[in-house]
Every structure is written in structure tokens, then in C-alpha cells.
Amino acid sequence: MLSIPYSKIYSSKFILDFLDRDSSVSSFLPKTTNIEEFKELIVEKDFPFESRKVLCSVISKQYENTGIAVPNHLDELLDANSFTVTTGHQLCLFGGPQFFIHKIVSAISLANQLKLAYPKSNFIPIFWMASEDHDFDEISSVSIFNKEIKVNGENKNPVGRIKTLEFSSALKELKEFFRNDSSGIHLISIFEEAFSKSNWADCTRFWVDKLFSKYGLIVLDADSKELKTVFRPTLELEIKQQFVYNAVVNTNNSISKEGYYPKINPRKLNLFYFNNGNRKRIVFKEGVFLIGDLTYSQDQILKMIELNPENFSPNVLLRPLYQESILPNLAYIGGPAEIEYWAQLKEAFDFSNVDYPKVILRDHFGWINNSDLDWWRSKGLKESDLFLDYDVLVKKILIKEKVFSLNVEDHLQAIKNNLLNEIQAVDSSVESMLNGELQKFKNGINKIESKLTRSSKRNNEIFYNKVKKVQNSIIINGNLNERKEGFIPLYNSLGDQYLSFLLEAANPLNNELKILVK
């Protein structure tokens, strides 16, 4: 395995400062760097037994309704000394990009580390299905073998409630990839059975469970009346005081003063309402609440929450408070965008008396063929060169191979220094003319350099195609391949070893990209 610091792949000042434990970021979101930092949190965590009972009951029913075995260790959640480590994601078609898998692997890895460090407690990894999201376009496609599978159409329903039948065309396309390749039989059989489930939440739960149940993962769908009843006090607080807006606006001002840009601007009210299958935003305006064309008073909305809390759905800023209200959670593992908006929420958590967890950046992974790595090294290239802009990398190779070297910066500066004293002694206004002429010369040299680069690429097309191919196995146009390609080709080629390799390398407390050699 190769390791590359995240500083080589991230440009976000907030994320880089977070990873460096910069004091500017730490006031909003302290970074967890070692397992010892959980000790105090474990001692102080006090999650109500009644809430544990509701949680276990809901999960048990969801598994039974999906037709899969209830996890053997589910009852551990009834123990006051049991805690969860949570990650979550949208219910993407076949998981979407690979980092869907990497999030889950990170949660399992941290739970395992906690168990080793604190053997008297139980730590259970949870995958939170974002089943209430209603952005169909974001979940309806996936790239496999560099080809897109896309389910067309529109759907305003919460994605977890969509009938699985609407995704049937995608399963047919997936089968086509393996029509003449028996190696895909195992994975295809899992998805075939998953696609027989009635809705998209059950479908996703099924195949995620098939891949990860042996590692102790529990899949949770929070689209539940019982769970939202537990969350009811916070729902009512949002209706009465719009506390998320007030808290986040205040935090955003502080974040801006430190030179960062807040990820999300809050709405006055951060709730949706399920109505006739659709998820509609609740708008607070001039003391009343608007849902579509209908207007409600505060008392009416509070009564609706009392009778049917399941019809109320938190948005992206309120969802973390919902999660932490219904789980005995110690840590949330998220991607860089999630890290940034969790940093906006500490004051909202404090105001609502909901425990704020450790927030940890997920593991990042890349894959490279052993033969490609050997070839790369044989050309005198470093692992860090994989992350250079392609054109910069080509120029570096050309200079290294002494194809040409037209770096005239030092020469031009020397010419300028030699002439500057004479010019200033005679006529200082000529200095701007000198600068202009030197810049023209530099521009001309750059054009020559570009032409030589293109010529070298043409003359060595096979070599540079190989450079690009190896680089693109990990990063494409500045984005890690894990954000583009689905996991199916890797799982298909490696089988069960795919998850084993990831779990062996995983450590979300380590600030490095892990490149696995296959």
C-alpha cells in the first residue's frame, strides 16, 4: 500500500486547516487524531434506554420486512455501554461512486479500533440511508467500466419510497456488461434479489447487508414514525423558535470572519413535509407556515407533529440533529462537504441539548496495478507525481529526459537586472517598455515550448498514453477516481478480497490517501 498526504489532493483551505488542527477551524470543529480522545466521550455519553428500545424495535422490523436476518448483535444496542459509529449517504444506483463503499469501510474500521481500545464497551457501525432525500437525478446514475448506466425520468417522492420497479432498466444494463462473462454471476445474483424488494430503501438495505453484515454493519432507515416521535421535541423547537437558522447564521458569521466560506446558508425553517407522496418544503413567513398552497398556524403545525411526526422531514442542516437524537452515537464519518457543514452546527446542537459527536473525515482510496506501478517507477517517476496536472507532469518528464529545457526565467531576470540601473540613470520611464519587451519574449518562448511538447507527445504517443492511463487509474482531471467510478468492476475482479483489502488498509484517523496495489 502507498500513502499520499491529503494535502496533495485537497485545495480547500477549510479542509486543510481542519486536518492540520488549525485553531481557526478547531473553534468550530475540533479534529480527532487518536483513539484516546474518545475516552471521555464514552464515559459521559448517556443515551435513554427507552430510545434504545425504540431504535432496536424499528431496525428489527425493517430487516424482517426486507426479508433478511435481523443482525445477531442488534440487542447489544439495549446495553448502556453500547455505542454507534455512523456514516450515511444517498441511496445511489448500485452505490454510485466508490466512496459510498469507502464511507462504510471507514465506519467499520473506527468501530473495530474502538473495540480494541475499550474492550468493555460495544461499538456498532451504522449506515444511515438518506431515504428521505428527493433528488432523483443525484441517485439515478452510475459509471461502470467508464460507461454510464442512467435511469431516466423524474420523481419527486422521497427516494427510499420509490418503487424498485422504476430502476429495473438499470439492472438489465448491468447484466449486459456480464453477458459473456461468468465472473459477475455472484454480484448480479445479489442485485437481482435486491431488485425484487418493493421499494428503493429495502433494495439498498438488502445489497448493502449482503456485502457488509459479516463485518457487523447495521443499516438504518430513519423514515419512521417511531423514530420521529423520539425526535419530536426538537421538531417542535424548530417550529417554535427556528433555532437552526438563528444558530447557523451566527456560526456562519464567525466562520466568515476567519476567512472561510460557509458551506450552506440556512433557511428560516429547515423542515419538509410529506404530502401525497411528495416532499414539500415548509416555508415560515410572517408568522405562518406554508406547505404548497396551504397555510397553517403554529398551533396547527404542532398538532400535526403530535399526531403524525412521520410526515415531517429534516433538511440537510437538521438531519444531523435527528441522527444524534435517535442513536447512541460517538462519531459521524463523512466526506469533505459534510465536514464543512457539520462545522456550522455546533451551536445548534448546544441550543437543542443534543450531543455533538466526533466528526471525522472518511478514508480515501485509490487502486493501481502492480505492473503499472513498476513501470511508473522504472521511468524515474514518484508516487506523488501521479497527482500532478497531466501537462505539468509531461513537462517534468520532458525536462527530466533532457528532451528540452526552455526555462528562461532566471536569464530574463538577469537581463533585466543588468539593464535596470542604466535605464533608471537615463530615463526611468523606459522601464515599463523593458518589462513589456521581456514579457513578449517570454510569451514567445512559451509558445515554442508548447509546440515542442505537442511534437514530443506525437512522437511518443504510446508512452504518454501509458502515462495518462496509469494516472487516470487514480485521478482524473484533478478528481480522485473514487468519486467517478462505481465499485462493481473492482469487486468483480477481486471478489471478497475487495472489501478485505479496504478494511485492512482503512484508518479514518490517518490523514492520508491509501493507494492499494492489486
Side-chain angles (χ1 to χ4, degrees), residues 151-179:
V151 176
N152 296 314
E154 291 186 10
N155 198 308
K156 300 296 184 183
N157 292 329
V159 295
R161 300 183 184 186
I162 296 174
K163 298 298 182 186
T164 306
L165 189 63
E166 294 194 28
F167 296 88
S168 58
S169 62
L171 183 60
K172 291 178 182 178
E173 287 189 61
L174 182 65
K175 288 180 178 179
E176 280 297 306
F177 281 114
F178 298 100
R179 183 175 54 181

Side-chain angles (χ1 to χ4, degrees), residues 166-376:
E166 294 194 28
F167 296 88
S168 58
S169 62
L171 183 60
K172 291 178 182 178
E173 287 189 61
L174 182 65
K175 288 180 178 179
E176 280 297 306
F177 281 114
F178 298 100
R179 183 175 54 181
N180 299 314
D181 183 0
S182 61
S183 65
I185 290 176
H186 175 62
L187 204 52
I188 290 292
S189 67
I190 291 176
F191 283 121
E192 279 184 326
E193 193 166 355
F195 272 62
S196 71
K197 306 305 174 183
S198 61
N199 60 53
W200 198 234
D202 286 347
C203 174
T204 303
R205 179 186 294 105
F206 182 89
W207 72 259
V208 171
D209 178 76
K210 282 293 183 182
L211 263 59
F212 289 104
S213 61
K214 66 181 177 181
Y215 303 109
L217 183 75
I218 290 179
V219 182
L220 172 64
D221 182 0
D223 185 3
S224 155
K225 180 173 183 174
E226 293 87 350
L227 293 176
K228 287 184 179 174
T229 299
V230 174
F231 189 53
R232 186 177 135 192
T234 309
L235 289 173
E236 292 172 343
L237 187 64
E238 175 68 355
I239 293 296
K240 292 175 182 177
Q241 298 192 39
Q242 298 81 56
F243 77 96
V244 173
Y245 174 82
N246 296 325
V248 173
V249 164
N250 190 43
T251 302
N252 283 0
N253 289 335
S254 299
I255 287 174
S256 298
K257 287 177 182 176
E258 294 291 345
Y260 306 112
Y261 297 97
K263 190 70 179 176
I264 298 175
N265 289 316
R267 295 181 178 272
K268 267 289 186 182
L269 194 72
N270 293 276
L271 277 170
F272 291 91
Y273 187 77
F274 292 141
N275 186 23
N276 296 324
N278 292 330
R279 188 175 184 239
K280 294 184 177 181
R281 189 177 301 281
I282 306 175
V283 177
F284 180 65
K285 187 176 181 181
E286 298 177 355
V288 297
F289 300 85
L290 308 175
I291 305 176
D293 297 329
L294 300 177
T295 302
Y296 299 88
S297 68
Q298 184 182 106
D299 286 343
Q300 287 175 313
I301 290 286
L302 291 174
K303 189 64 176 177
M304 292 161 67
I305 291 175
E306 180 184 351
L307 296 175
N308 298 105
E310 72 276 13
N311 289 338
F312 291 82
S313 177
N315 76 348
V316 64
L317 287 175
L318 191 55
R319 178 203 56 77
L321 286 100
Y322 180 32
Q323 170 190 296
E324 298 305 312
S325 296
I326 65 172
L327 290 171
N329 204 44
L330 298 181
Y332 182 76
I333 294 178
E338 291 172 290
I339 296 295
E340 292 194 45
Y341 72 69
W342 272 84
Q344 298 173 255
L345 291 171
K346 182 64 168 64
E347 188 173 327
F349 272 84
D350 290 343
F351 186 88
S352 57
N353 293 315
V354 177
D355 290 342
Y356 191 75
K358 303 284 189 184
V359 181
I360 297 170
L361 184 64
R362 67 168 177 83
D363 270 309
H364 296 52
F365 295 98
W367 295 84
I368 190 169
N369 288 323
N370 190 47
S371 57
D372 287 342
L373 181 60
D374 288 343
W375 179 87
W376 188 265

Side-chain angles (χ1 to χ4, degrees), residues 76-89:
E76 288 180 3
L77 282 173
L78 295 172
D79 187 341
N81 212 24
S82 290
F83 309 97
T84 58
V85 173
T86 303
T87 192
H89 200 66

Side-chain angles (χ1 to χ4, degrees), residues 10 97-99 335-337 362 364 479-485:
Y10 275 119
Q98 294 164 33
F99 70 87
R362 67 168 177 83
H364 296 52
N479 293 311
L480 290 174
N481 206 25
E482 64 164 18
R483 300 195 64 85
K484 176 179 177 291
E485 279 289 302

Side-chain angles (χ1 to χ4, degrees), residues 15 42 75 141 216 264 275 328:
I15 292 298
I42 291 170
D75 284 347
S141 64
I264 298 175
N275 186 23

Side-chain angles (χ1 to χ4, degrees), residues 49-101:
F49 179 71
E50 287 303 315
S51 296
R52 290 179 181 273
K53 283 173 57 179
V54 172
L55 178 64
C56 288
S57 174
V58 168
I59 292 173
S60 180
K61 289 175 184 175
Q62 289 179 352
Y63 272 74
E64 289 171 355
N65 291 340
T66 308
I68 52 182
V70 176
N72 291 330
H73 60 303
L74 177 61
D75 284 347
E76 288 180 3
L77 282 173
L78 295 172
D79 187 341
N81 212 24
S82 290
F83 309 97
T84 58
V85 173
T86 303
T87 192
H89 200 66
Q90 294 169 299
L91 309 191
C92 296
L93 180 65
F94 303 127
Q98 294 164 33
F99 70 87
F100 178 105
I101 300 294

